[in-house]
Amino acid sequence: MQTEEAPDSTSLSTETHDSEIAADEARSDATDGATAGAPAGEGSTEEHVLEALKNVFDPELGINIVDLGLVYEVQAEDGKVHVEYTLTTMGCPIGPLIEQQMNQFVAAVPGVEEFSAEMVLRPPWTPEMMSDEAKAALGVF
């Protein structure tokens, strides 16, 4: 296991593959989930992307976008990743920030060469889409 610290998220890009692997391993060690700490060869790219997206937090709610239920679909094929996501409200001003952070964290996933994200408004987001952990954190039952 490498002991390197993850680089500052603003320095992540798809051009520096070695640092991307180190960043992904450092983040995987810091998170818990199905692929946490797994070598790059284990688990699907979609699973690795979802784990990376758990590092993107809604700044107003303090909960990651995966647990909030904002990530609707992850498609990965031949190094290209496409994510469909939504926001909690149609006019939410943090959309560009969320997408920028998604791009930074997904770029660090081994094997990802290209990333695209599409914000969709259908189906509309509802609190029922949140994970049980997110519901508990926000007091939604």
Side-chain angles (χ1 to χ4, degrees):
M1 176 167 294
Q2 295 180 353
T3 59
E4 289 182 26
E5 300 255 339
D8 182 34
S9 63
T10 59
S11 67
L12 297 177
S13 73
T14 56
E15 297 174 342
T16 56
H17 186 71
D18 291 339
S19 64
E20 292 167 7
I21 293 171
D24 183 58
E25 288 177 1
R27 271 197 315 281
S28 291
D29 290 344
T31 59
D32 53 9
T35 60
E42 292 182 21
S44 70
T45 300
E46 287 90 352
E47 290 171 329
H48 287 279
V49 168
L50 280 171
E51 284 300 312
L53 291 176
K54 286 184 179 182
N55 292 294
V56 179
F57 285 79
D58 180 304
E60 295 174 327
L61 300 174
I63 298 174
N64 74 68
I65 63 173
V66 175
D67 285 337
L68 278 174
L70 299 178
V71 177
Y72 285 170
E73 185 174 0
V74 174
Q75 297 174 339
E77 187 175 329
D78 299 327
K80 297 178 184 179
V81 172
H82 180 76
V83 174
E84 282 189 11
Y85 73 101
T86 195
L87 300 172
T88 55
T89 60
M90 189 181 305
C92 184
I94 63 165
L97 174 66
I98 295 286
E99 197 161 317
Q100 177 187 19
Q101 290 179 0
M102 288 170 51
N103 187 31
Q104 290 172 342
F105 285 109
V106 172
V109 174
V112 174
E113 298 170 12
E114 222 176 280
F115 172 76
S116 62
E118 179 182 4
M119 185 184 72
V120 297
L121 300 173
R122 298 266 189 259
W125 179 85
T126 64
E128 290 80 30
M129 295 175 169
M130 293 188 291
S131 69
D132 290 339
E133 293 83 9
K135 288 177 184 176
L138 293 176
V140 176
F141 299 102

